[in-house]
Amino acid sequence: MTAQEIKGEDYTIQYDSETQTVKFQGELALGGPKDYDPINSLLADVIDQDPTEMTLDLRELAFLNSSGISMLSKFVLGLRKKKGTQLVILGSNDMPWQGKSLKNLQKFLPSLKLEIE
């Protein structure tokens, strides 16, 4: 798997296999959990490669609805069983939703490296 991309009307999600980074851009407000399946599959595919470090770059994600936050939470929770991968989440103080929501993810995975600039 090299570069992979999921595009919607208001968002783009790109995976770069060289840096093991999944970059989220735009606004993610999909209808419900089923609508997030392609994103879930992408994240699962990356983890199945057993990277030593995986980065979720959310700095350009202006909005994530509750279904999206739930999807992200379940993904992070699932990583507790995956011992060899360090998860890094990059956030931005410019996106009001990120501060509180992303900090909550650390409760699910204490080893999570959260960098909010």
Side-chain angles (χ1 to χ4, degrees), residues 74-93:
K74 287 177 183 168
F75 172 72
V76 169
L77 207 55
L79 284 179
R80 290 168 93 161
K81 298 180 211 118
K82 198 86 169 147
K83 294 293 179 214
T85 302
Q86 171 67 59
L87 182 64
V88 177
I89 295 183
L90 304 177
S92 170
N93 284 318

Side-chain angles (χ1 to χ4, degrees), residues 9-115:
E9 210 170 294
D10 301 322
Y11 67 91
T12 304
I13 298 165
Q14 297 170 311
Y15 170 62
D16 181 343
S17 61
E18 279 187 34
T19 60
Q20 300 292 330
T21 298
V22 181
K23 184 174 186 172
F24 293 73
Q25 296 171 287
E27 296 184 8
L28 255 177
L30 303 180
K34 281 249 179 279
D35 297 325
Y36 281 94
D37 282 350
I39 300 166
N40 247 336
S41 294
L42 173 65
L43 295 175
D45 288 348
V46 175
I47 282 299
D48 287 345
Q49 297 172 41
D50 291 321
T52 53
E53 185 172 286
M54 175 183 180
T55 302
L56 299 182
D57 185 347
L58 306 175
R59 292 176 293 189
E60 294 178 37
L61 188 62
F63 178 78
L64 185 64
N65 68 359
S66 58
S67 294
I69 290 172
S70 175
M71 178 262 322
L72 210 49
S73 298
K74 287 177 183 168
F75 172 72
V76 169
L77 207 55
L79 284 179
R80 290 168 93 161
K81 298 180 211 118
K82 198 86 169 147
K83 294 293 179 214
T85 302
Q86 171 67 59
L87 182 64
V88 177
I89 295 183
L90 304 177
S92 170
N93 284 318
D94 294 338
M95 307 299 175
W97 70 272
Q98 291 188 6
K100 186 176 182 198
S101 296
L102 296 180
K103 281 187 181 84
N104 285 336
L105 295 176
Q106 287 182 306
K107 294 175 186 167
F108 300 133
L109 187 67
S111 65
L112 169 76
K113 273 168 102 177
L114 181 59
E115 297 174 17

